[in-house]
Amino acid sequence: MSQPEHGHNRPPGGPPAWGNQPQNNPPAWGNQPQWGGASAWPPPPGYGPGPQNPPAPGWPAGAPGWPPGAPYGQPQYIAPPKPGVIPLRPLQFGEILDGSFQTIRRNAASMFGSALIVQALGAVIIGVITFLMFQMTVTFESVDSRAEFDQAMGPFIALAAGAMGASVLIGLLGSVLQGVLAVPVARSVLNRRTGFAQMWKLAGKRILPLLGVAGLLTVGGLLAVAAVVGIAVLLITAMGPGAVLIVLPLGLGSVVVFVWIGLKLMLAPAVIVVEHTGIYDGLLRSWRLTRNNWWRIFGITLVVAIMLGIIAQIVQIPASLAIGFIGGTVSPHPDEQSTASLLMVSTVVSTAIQALVGSVTFAFQSSVSALIYMDLRMRREGLDVELMRMAETGANPDGVPGGPFVQPGTAAWPPA
């Protein structure tokens, strides 16, 4: 049988002759594609173009390349949305301070006005009591017998008790107002302004639980202080001066415990108003939210308190110096009547200044506390995602963000 000639195929069914195998011829020399252009070489069988990276957000679809500054193969970073006073993500210290300033500025009537009413009431009560106590101390100079002294001490002790009761009342009102002010803070997160009447309307149904938690914390604090003082008195009575070695560490330890418990429960008013919880649930929820965050909360609270204290002193010191200078100029040799008149003027002026400064500092501290509450919920529960959804859909425009609002077809928030 003759063999096929070189270059000819074998009969059908056999393998191709040598040199006639099908092949993909590369382009001739000089016709290769330019560098960076499309390749003229056919891809291997079964292979195609790989998956393409999606265009960066904000970059036109179909546009060649990536936006300037974007790393190859990586999407461009997008900052979290900030519809209101804070970005919707876990917050930093500076953002909490800035958010508090912005909240007061946008809701001045509701926050500053409410705080001014409470602070003015407290300042007036304390000012009147201080003036009356000073008048009574003047009468002590004319006391000549034990009976007259005892008779004069009765009203003095009553005024001192009244001052203590007024301080407790101001503390109760302050605790209630702290929860109420959480309403404009939560709404400002989504850039929703809150008027004076609207704030009290939204928080009106939570006043009784707020009074309950304020009374519980106040009574508990007074009982704890009374217990510590009683133990100290018993130790000093039984052991004499040597009891100082025990009483001093006991007092310092008690202060540490009070501060620790106070910070663990400081979010209860905001929880009660925003989440519509009861007294016990509000305290328990505050305790759980602050878990593993105590030192951070303590640092923020301490820095804010020092900052506001310095600002208050800067404002009040010039006023006090001015009153003293005016009094020394008008009455260089004061008698009893001029002293009483000067005391009256200085009391009125200092009361007004204390009310103004106290209202600003209280509103700012309440705003910081409410933003700490929102921050902890964003860190622990993903509240920022829910707030983004509310900002996009405009849901519950007249309510409190973060509260138990339920949209149709969605589950209740916060999650169980």
Side-chain angles (χ1 to χ4, degrees), residues 79-119:
K82 185 182 177 181
V85 296
I86 58 171
L88 299 183
R89 58 166 172 75
L91 304 175
Q92 300 177 357
F93 174 68
E95 292 168 339
I96 292 178
L97 295 183
D98 180 68
S100 299
F101 281 117
Q102 294 293 329
T103 301
I104 297 175
R105 184 178 65 85
R106 298 185 184 189
N107 304 277
S110 57
M111 299 191 68
F112 180 73
S114 300
L116 182 60
I117 292 174
V118 175
Q119 292 296 319

Tab-separated table of all heavy atoms in Angstrom, residues 79-119:
chain	number	residue	atom	x	y	z
A	79	ALA	N	-18.104	58.460	52.477
A	79	ALA	CA	-18.364	58.766	53.879
A	79	ALA	C	-19.805	58.423	54.232
A	79	ALA	O	-20.695	58.507	53.387
A	79	ALA	CB	-18.091	60.236	54.159
A	80	PRO	N	-20.047	57.993	55.480
A	80	PRO	CA	-21.434	57.714	55.889
A	80	PRO	C	-22.295	58.956	55.767
A	80	PRO	O	-21.803	60.083	55.882
A	80	PRO	CB	-21.279	57.289	57.366
A	80	PRO	CG	-19.862	56.861	57.496
A	80	PRO	CD	-19.080	57.695	56.537
A	81	PRO	N	-23.572	58.782	55.502
A	81	PRO	CA	-24.442	59.954	55.345
A	81	PRO	C	-24.559	60.736	56.647
A	81	PRO	O	-24.468	60.181	57.738
A	81	PRO	CB	-25.781	59.339	54.924
A	81	PRO	CG	-25.735	57.933	55.423
A	81	PRO	CD	-24.301	57.515	55.343
A	82	LYS	N	-24.761	62.026	56.516
A	82	LYS	CA	-24.947	62.910	57.661
A	82	LYS	C	-26.144	63.796	57.389
A	82	LYS	O	-26.013	64.972	57.045
A	82	LYS	CB	-23.681	63.740	57.902
A	82	LYS	CG	-23.751	64.597	59.162
A	82	LYS	CD	-22.487	65.436	59.324
A	82	LYS	CE	-22.597	66.339	60.547
A	82	LYS	NZ	-21.403	67.192	60.721
A	83	PRO	N	-27.358	63.267	57.560
A	83	PRO	CA	-28.534	64.084	57.280
A	83	PRO	C	-28.780	65.162	58.312
A	83	PRO	O	-29.448	66.149	58.027
A	83	PRO	CB	-29.668	63.057	57.271
A	83	PRO	CG	-29.185	61.947	58.162
A	83	PRO	CD	-27.697	61.896	57.952
A	84	GLY	N	-28.272	64.967	59.529
A	84	GLY	CA	-28.531	65.918	60.597
A	84	GLY	C	-27.258	66.404	61.259
A	84	GLY	O	-26.287	66.776	60.607
A	85	VAL	N	-27.244	66.366	62.588
A	85	VAL	CA	-26.137	66.959	63.341
A	85	VAL	C	-24.955	66.023	63.496
A	85	VAL	O	-23.865	66.463	63.875
A	85	VAL	CB	-26.642	67.413	64.733
A	85	VAL	CG1	-27.683	68.505	64.602
A	85	VAL	CG2	-27.207	66.228	65.533
A	86	ILE	N	-25.123	64.738	63.233
A	86	ILE	CA	-24.036	63.769	63.377
A	86	ILE	C	-24.042	62.834	62.182
A	86	ILE	O	-25.088	62.617	61.547
A	86	ILE	CB	-24.175	62.943	64.679
A	86	ILE	CG1	-25.523	62.208	64.712
A	86	ILE	CG2	-23.977	63.801	65.915
A	86	ILE	CD1	-25.663	61.213	65.844
A	87	PRO	N	-22.896	62.246	61.838
A	87	PRO	CA	-22.890	61.200	60.825
A	87	PRO	C	-23.502	59.920	61.382
A	87	PRO	O	-23.397	59.637	62.588
A	87	PRO	CB	-21.402	61.016	60.501
A	87	PRO	CG	-20.688	61.499	61.725
A	87	PRO	CD	-21.539	62.589	62.309
A	88	LEU	N	-24.137	59.150	60.517
A	88	LEU	CA	-24.825	57.933	60.952
A	88	LEU	C	-23.830	56.785	61.023
A	88	LEU	O	-23.777	55.894	60.165
A	88	LEU	CB	-25.984	57.620	60.003
A	88	LEU	CG	-27.066	58.703	59.932
A	88	LEU	CD1	-28.203	58.268	59.034
A	88	LEU	CD2	-27.592	59.042	61.317
A	89	ARG	N	-23.043	56.807	62.044
A	89	ARG	CA	-22.058	55.774	62.363
A	89	ARG	C	-21.617	56.016	63.805
A	89	ARG	O	-21.961	57.039	64.401
A	89	ARG	CB	-20.864	55.845	61.411
A	89	ARG	CG	-20.154	57.181	61.425
A	89	ARG	CD	-18.812	57.094	60.745
A	89	ARG	NE	-18.199	58.407	60.579
A	89	ARG	CZ	-17.630	59.112	61.534
A	89	ARG	NH1	-17.612	58.636	62.774
A	89	ARG	NH2	-17.087	60.287	61.285
A	90	PRO	N	-20.879	55.078	64.403
A	90	PRO	CA	-20.354	55.327	65.750
A	90	PRO	C	-19.561	56.623	65.803
A	90	PRO	O	-18.789	56.946	64.897
A	90	PRO	CB	-19.470	54.101	66.008
A	90	PRO	CG	-20.112	53.014	65.209
A	90	PRO	CD	-20.633	53.687	63.969
A	91	LEU	N	-19.749	57.371	66.881
A	91	LEU	CA	-19.267	58.745	66.958
A	91	LEU	C	-17.941	58.841	67.689
A	91	LEU	O	-17.603	58.002	68.531
A	91	LEU	CB	-20.298	59.631	67.677
A	91	LEU	CG	-21.704	59.633	67.092
A	91	LEU	CD1	-22.627	60.460	67.971
A	91	LEU	CD2	-21.697	60.154	65.666
A	92	GLN	N	-17.210	59.887	67.361
A	92	GLN	CA	-16.017	60.258	68.085
A	92	GLN	C	-16.346	61.399	69.051
A	92	GLN	O	-17.423	61.991	68.984
A	92	GLN	CB	-14.912	60.669	67.123
A	92	GLN	CG	-14.498	59.568	66.154
A	92	GLN	CD	-13.447	60.018	65.163
A	92	GLN	OE1	-13.059	61.184	65.158
A	92	GLN	NE2	-12.992	59.110	64.326
A	93	PHE	N	-15.371	61.693	69.930
A	93	PHE	CA	-15.624	62.695	70.972
A	93	PHE	C	-15.936	64.065	70.362
A	93	PHE	O	-16.887	64.742	70.769
A	93	PHE	CB	-14.410	62.779	71.897
A	93	PHE	CG	-14.506	63.868	72.921
A	93	PHE	CD1	-15.439	63.803	73.943
A	93	PHE	CD2	-13.671	64.971	72.854
A	93	PHE	CE1	-15.534	64.810	74.888
A	93	PHE	CE2	-13.752	65.981	73.797
A	93	PHE	CZ	-14.686	65.893	74.804
A	94	GLY	N	-15.157	64.481	69.392
A	94	GLY	CA	-15.392	65.775	68.771
A	94	GLY	C	-16.743	65.858	68.085
A	94	GLY	O	-17.385	66.915	68.081
A	95	GLU	N	-17.192	64.759	67.496
A	95	GLU	CA	-18.492	64.748	66.828
A	95	GLU	C	-19.635	64.848	67.820
A	95	GLU	O	-20.677	65.432	67.531
A	95	GLU	CB	-18.619	63.480	65.986
A	95	GLU	CG	-17.663	63.464	64.806
A	95	GLU	CD	-17.578	62.106	64.135
A	95	GLU	OE1	-17.920	61.100	64.791
A	95	GLU	OE2	-17.170	62.043	62.972
A	96	ILE	N	-19.446	64.291	69.017
A	96	ILE	CA	-20.468	64.422	70.057
A	96	ILE	C	-20.577	65.878	70.505
A	96	ILE	O	-21.682	66.420	70.663
A	96	ILE	CB	-20.141	63.495	71.241
A	96	ILE	CG1	-20.297	62.022	70.825
A	96	ILE	CG2	-21.043	63.804	72.436
A	96	ILE	CD1	-19.946	61.039	71.918
A	97	LEU	N	-19.440	66.542	70.705
A	97	LEU	CA	-19.471	67.950	71.100
A	97	LEU	C	-20.086	68.815	70.003
A	97	LEU	O	-20.946	69.669	70.282
A	97	LEU	CB	-18.055	68.434	71.409
A	97	LEU	CG	-17.331	67.797	72.598
A	97	LEU	CD1	-15.976	68.459	72.799
A	97	LEU	CD2	-18.158	67.887	73.861
A	98	ASP	N	-19.652	68.614	68.766
A	98	ASP	CA	-20.190	69.403	67.665
A	98	ASP	C	-21.685	69.149	67.485
A	98	ASP	O	-22.463	70.085	67.247
A	98	ASP	CB	-19.434	69.068	66.378
A	98	ASP	CG	-19.951	69.851	65.187
A	98	ASP	OD1	-19.766	71.083	65.153
A	98	ASP	OD2	-20.566	69.237	64.294
A	99	GLY	N	-22.092	67.880	67.599
A	99	GLY	CA	-23.514	67.569	67.479
A	99	GLY	C	-24.338	68.221	68.574
A	99	GLY	O	-25.478	68.651	68.333
A	100	SER	N	-23.782	68.323	69.774
A	100	SER	CA	-24.508	68.976	70.872
A	100	SER	C	-24.678	70.470	70.602
A	100	SER	O	-25.771	71.025	70.815
A	100	SER	CB	-23.750	68.758	72.181
A	100	SER	OG	-23.639	67.383	72.488
A	101	PHE	N	-23.623	71.136	70.156
A	101	PHE	CA	-23.738	72.557	69.811
A	101	PHE	C	-24.757	72.763	68.698
A	101	PHE	O	-25.594	73.682	68.760
A	101	PHE	CB	-22.371	73.106	69.384
A	101	PHE	CG	-21.458	73.430	70.527
A	101	PHE	CD1	-20.262	72.753	70.689
A	101	PHE	CD2	-21.791	74.419	71.438
A	101	PHE	CE1	-19.414	73.044	71.745
A	101	PHE	CE2	-20.944	74.729	72.492
A	101	PHE	CZ	-19.750	74.031	72.646
A	102	GLN	N	-24.683	71.933	67.661
A	102	GLN	CA	-25.599	72.086	66.534
A	102	GLN	C	-27.049	71.844	66.953
A	102	GLN	O	-27.974	72.522	66.485
A	102	GLN	CB	-25.209	71.121	65.414
A	102	GLN	CG	-23.872	71.408	64.767
A	102	GLN	CD	-23.881	72.707	63.992
A	102	GLN	OE1	-24.900	73.123	63.452
A	102	GLN	NE2	-22.741	73.370	63.932
A	103	THR	N	-27.256	70.891	67.846
A	103	THR	CA	-28.619	70.591	68.296
A	103	THR	C	-29.221	71.773	69.050
A	103	THR	O	-30.382	72.146	68.829
A	103	THR	CB	-28.611	69.346	69.193
A	103	THR	OG1	-28.072	68.240	68.467
A	103	THR	CG2	-30.019	69.005	69.647
A	104	ILE	N	-28.440	72.375	69.951
A	104	ILE	CA	-28.943	73.531	70.699
A	104	ILE	C	-29.204	74.708	69.760
A	104	ILE	O	-30.197	75.429	69.905
A	104	ILE	CB	-27.942	73.913	71.802
A	104	ILE	CG1	-27.809	72.776	72.819
A	104	ILE	CG2	-28.375	75.186	72.508
A	104	ILE	CD1	-26.764	73.016	73.883
A	105	ARG	N	-28.320	74.894	68.782
A	105	ARG	CA	-28.493	76.014	67.865
A	105	ARG	C	-29.750	75.841	67.014
A	105	ARG	O	-30.469	76.808	66.746
A	105	ARG	CB	-27.265	76.138	66.960
A	105	ARG	CG	-27.281	77.337	66.031
A	105	ARG	CD	-26.014	77.401	65.207
A	105	ARG	NE	-25.929	76.268	64.304
A	105	ARG	CZ	-26.498	76.217	63.103
A	105	ARG	NH1	-27.208	77.253	62.674
A	105	ARG	NH2	-26.355	75.173	62.334
A	106	ARG	N	-30.049	74.617	66.580
A	106	ARG	CA	-31.201	74.384	65.712
A	106	ARG	C	-32.515	74.310	66.495
A	106	ARG	O	-33.580	74.459	65.914
A	106	ARG	CB	-31.007	73.084	64.935
A	106	ARG	CG	-29.790	73.096	64.020
A	106	ARG	CD	-29.719	71.837	63.186
A	106	ARG	NE	-28.507	71.798	62.366
A	106	ARG	CZ	-28.265	70.899	61.422
A	106	ARG	NH1	-29.164	69.949	61.181
A	106	ARG	NH2	-27.145	70.932	60.731
A	107	ASN	N	-32.428	74.021	67.786
A	107	ASN	CA	-33.646	73.888	68.597
A	107	ASN	C	-33.536	74.766	69.834
A	107	ASN	O	-33.758	74.307	70.964
A	107	ASN	CB	-33.859	72.426	69.006
A	107	ASN	CG	-33.905	71.485	67.824
A	107	ASN	OD1	-34.925	71.297	67.171
A	107	ASN	ND2	-32.763	70.864	67.523
A	108	ALA	N	-33.178	76.019	69.648
A	108	ALA	CA	-32.921	76.913	70.776
A	108	ALA	C	-34.167	77.141	71.616
A	108	ALA	O	-34.112	77.167	72.850
A	108	ALA	CB	-32.368	78.244	70.272
A	109	ALA	N	-35.315	77.294	70.963
A	109	ALA	CA	-36.534	77.599	71.717
A	109	ALA	C	-36.920	76.452	72.630
A	109	ALA	O	-37.304	76.655	73.794
A	109	ALA	CB	-37.676	77.912	70.746
A	110	SER	N	-36.851	75.233	72.128
A	110	SER	CA	-37.275	74.090	72.932
A	110	SER	C	-36.246	73.726	73.995
A	110	SER	O	-36.591	73.537	75.168
A	110	SER	CB	-37.535	72.884	72.024
A	110	SER	OG	-36.384	72.567	71.262
A	111	MET	N	-34.973	73.667	73.628
A	111	MET	CA	-33.947	73.207	74.577
A	111	MET	C	-33.546	74.313	75.535
A	111	MET	O	-33.614	74.161	76.760
A	111	MET	CB	-32.734	72.687	73.807
A	111	MET	CG	-33.033	71.506	72.890
A	111	MET	SD	-31.543	70.715	72.256
A	111	MET	CE	-30.872	69.984	73.745
A	112	PHE	N	-33.108	75.461	75.002
A	112	PHE	CA	-32.669	76.553	75.866
A	112	PHE	C	-33.831	77.134	76.666
A	112	PHE	O	-33.683	77.460	77.847
A	112	PHE	CB	-32.010	77.642	75.020
A	112	PHE	CG	-31.532	78.809	75.812
A	112	PHE	CD1	-30.415	78.716	76.619
A	112	PHE	CD2	-32.203	80.016	75.757
A	112	PHE	CE1	-29.986	79.807	77.360
A	112	PHE	CE2	-31.773	81.108	76.481
A	112	PHE	CZ	-30.655	81.003	77.281
A	113	GLY	N	-35.019	77.246	76.037
A	113	GLY	CA	-36.174	77.793	76.748
A	113	GLY	C	-36.600	76.937	77.921
A	113	GLY	O	-36.837	77.441	79.024
A	114	SER	N	-36.683	75.620	77.716
A	114	SER	CA	-37.087	74.721	78.805
A	114	SER	C	-36.057	74.721	79.925
A	114	SER	O	-36.402	74.759	81.112
A	114	SER	CB	-37.291	73.310	78.260
A	114	SER	OG	-38.286	73.289	77.267
A	115	ALA	N	-34.777	74.656	79.553
A	115	ALA	CA	-33.733	74.663	80.574
A	115	ALA	C	-33.724	75.976	81.343
A	115	ALA	O	-33.489	75.997	82.562
A	115	ALA	CB	-32.369	74.418	79.932
A	116	LEU	N	-34.008	77.084	80.650
A	116	LEU	CA	-34.017	78.384	81.333
A	116	LEU	C	-35.140	78.460	82.359
A	116	LEU	O	-34.961	79.031	83.449
A	116	LEU	CB	-34.167	79.497	80.292
A	116	LEU	CG	-34.154	80.926	80.829
A	116	LEU	CD1	-32.849	81.222	81.549
A	116	LEU	CD2	-34.378	81.922	79.703
A	117	ILE	N	-36.296	77.883	82.057
A	117	ILE	CA	-37.410	77.909	83.014
A	117	ILE	C	-37.035	77.173	84.293
A	117	ILE	O	-37.225	77.673	85.413
A	117	ILE	CB	-38.665	77.303	82.370
A	117	ILE	CG1	-39.177	78.203	81.241
A	117	ILE	CG2	-39.763	77.102	83.422
A	117	ILE	CD1	-40.326	77.606	80.466
A	118	VAL	N	-36.480	75.976	84.136
A	118	VAL	CA	-36.118	75.177	85.312
A	118	VAL	C	-34.988	75.833	86.090
A	118	VAL	O	-35.026	75.939	87.332
A	118	VAL	CB	-35.733	73.743	84.881
A	118	VAL	CG1	-35.229	72.941	86.076
A	118	VAL	CG2	-36.927	73.044	84.254
A	119	GLN	N	-33.961	76.296	85.385
A	119	GLN	CA	-32.826	76.909	86.070
A	119	GLN	C	-33.215	78.222	86.746
A	119	GLN	O	-32.737	78.528	87.842
A	119	GLN	CB	-31.698	77.144	85.065
A	119	GLN	CG	-31.063	75.881	84.527
A	119	GLN	CD	-30.369	75.070	85.605
A	119	GLN	OE1	-29.698	75.620	86.477
A	119	GLN	NE2	-30.538	73.764	85.564
